[in-house]
Amino acid sequence: MIREAWLKIQERKRNLRSWALVIAAYGLAVFGLWLSGQFKIEDISEFSGPLKVKLGAISGVEEAEYLFNQSKEEAPPEQIEQEETSPEELPDSQQKIEDDVSDKTIAMDVSPSPTVAPTKKPTPKPSPKVSSSPTPRRSAQPSPKVSPVASPSAAPIKTAAPDTTVVVKGKEQGNAYETNLDAGSSVVGRGLYVPIYLYMPIPYEVSSALFSAISDSKDGLYTADERKGDFKKFYSQAEGVWRLKNPVPLDDRPRLWIMLQESGYRLGDADYKKGKYLRPVVISFKVSASKGGSSPALLEIKLDKSSGYSDIDEAVMYGFKKAAFYNNGERSVSGRFTYSFE
């Protein structure tokens, strides 16, 4: 979990640097375009009123009347070969037509007739329509598409949401457990888990064959004779079997359970399960924040749901308290532990 927290911090730094570079690149691009004058607006003309456009090579009164009359006839006129007209020649040619036909009124459509052949190279700058009133200028600077992030500080950072829950699941010797922690924005988790089954009630009866199978401990700390001596503190032999004679304290149970397990005892079929319906044990608790470098403490440990047997509940509660947690937040974190019997 600590490594995951470190990786998240590194990822935040990489995200911040990436967004900062993107925004700087957009800023340099906009500034360069502004310097090159690409956003300058040029006026098409300095007069208001309707615009009359010369579409072909015709000129004079006869040609103007010809176009005017042809617009009224249903029969399609002959196709007029188009010539290229530069934007600078438009005002002069327009003025020439108006001088020749000053005693007549000629209304010419700005857009070409469908029967007229299209121009070979459309003029890039003149607009087909010019408003009679001057059009207010628009801002020439486009808005770069970085609106979701206004500044590096607004870059998305992957942090735990307030309702984030840390879930730790596992199984042990036929039983299952699950720990849920309401982490929020804290980095919280379980640092040490002690098996709960080691604190369960010890079997009431053990066969002589199993007692004879007790050997040296696998860790090499105890010999077979030493382990059998510990076994006899709590068991006595009668009628070919060994029966429990004294209650076993909770702290002594792990030593006996490990001894029985290494001798061949099947923990999944332990005596404390036989003939019983054991409901899941649910424990609620809190993990305090770390203060002064000390490890967090378990607070407000409460049994929410019972298995139905007090000795089983006691064993689960005792074993759970042996666990250790970590919490780098500034407040305590609530949690829930569930121990199920399969």
Side-chain angles (χ1 to χ4, degrees), residues 299-320:
L299 306 174
E300 302 179 14
I301 303 176
K302 179 184 176 183
L303 179 65
D304 289 343
K305 293 183 180 180
S306 171
S307 65
Y309 297 87
S310 60
D311 56 344
I312 302 295
D313 299 339
E314 180 186 23
V316 175
M317 289 282 287
Y318 193 86
F320 172 73

Side-chain angles (χ1 to χ4, degrees), residues 131-317:
S131 176
S132 59
S133 60
T135 304
R137 299 193 177 194
R138 297 180 179 177
S139 174
Q141 182 177 1
S143 176
K145 297 182 179 181
V146 292
S147 55
V149 181
S151 63
S153 60
I157 300 175
K158 294 183 179 181
T159 57
D163 58 348
T164 299
T165 301
V166 176
V167 180
V168 181
K169 297 181 179 181
K171 292 186 177 183
E172 57 173 35
Q173 304 302 331
N175 300 333
Y177 59 85
E178 179 178 319
T179 305
N180 292 269
L181 294 164
D182 299 329
S185 59
S186 303
V187 177
V188 63
R190 192 183 64 202
L192 174 66
Y193 175 78
V194 178
I196 302 294
Y197 79 91
L198 294 177
Y199 299 94
M200 288 297 172
I202 296 296
Y204 173 73
E205 190 174 274
V206 176
S207 67
S208 296
L210 192 144
F211 173 78
S212 300
I214 296 176
S215 59
D216 297 341
S217 60
K218 291 184 178 180
D219 55 15
L221 297 178
Y222 303 97
T223 64
D225 292 338
E226 290 174 336
R227 300 179 87 183
K228 288 180 179 180
D230 288 339
F231 182 85
K232 291 178 180 179
K233 292 179 182 178
F234 304 101
Y235 285 89
S236 60
Q237 189 175 23
E239 300 177 359
V241 294
W242 293 85
R243 291 190 177 92
L244 196 64
K245 61 181 180 180
N246 295 320
V248 182
L250 289 166
D251 286 333
D252 292 329
R253 293 179 182 180
R255 186 169 71 255
L256 288 174
W257 272 119
I258 294 174
M259 185 190 308
L260 293 173
Q261 181 181 5
E262 292 180 357
S263 300
Y265 187 88
R266 297 183 61 182
L267 299 180
D269 299 329
D271 285 352
Y272 69 85
K273 293 183 179 181
K274 292 181 178 179
K276 298 177 183 178
Y277 172 69
L278 300 176
R279 294 188 293 269
V281 178
V282 180
I283 300 172
S284 61
F285 63 96
K286 284 188 176 181
V287 179
S288 68
S290 300
K291 294 182 180 180
S294 61
S295 299
L298 285 173
L299 306 174
E300 302 179 14
I301 303 176
K302 179 184 176 183
L303 179 65
D304 289 343
K305 293 183 180 180
S306 171
S307 65
Y309 297 87
S310 60
D311 56 344
I312 302 295
D313 299 339
E314 180 186 23
V316 175
M317 289 282 287

Side-chain angles (χ1 to χ4, degrees), residues 30-53:
V30 173
F31 183 73
L33 291 176
W34 178 77
L35 289 178
S36 63
Q38 294 297 323
F39 299 113
K40 182 178 178 181
I41 298 177
E42 297 181 2
D43 294 332
I44 298 175
S45 62
E46 297 180 355
F47 64 91
S48 61
L51 178 64
K52 300 178 181 180
V53 181

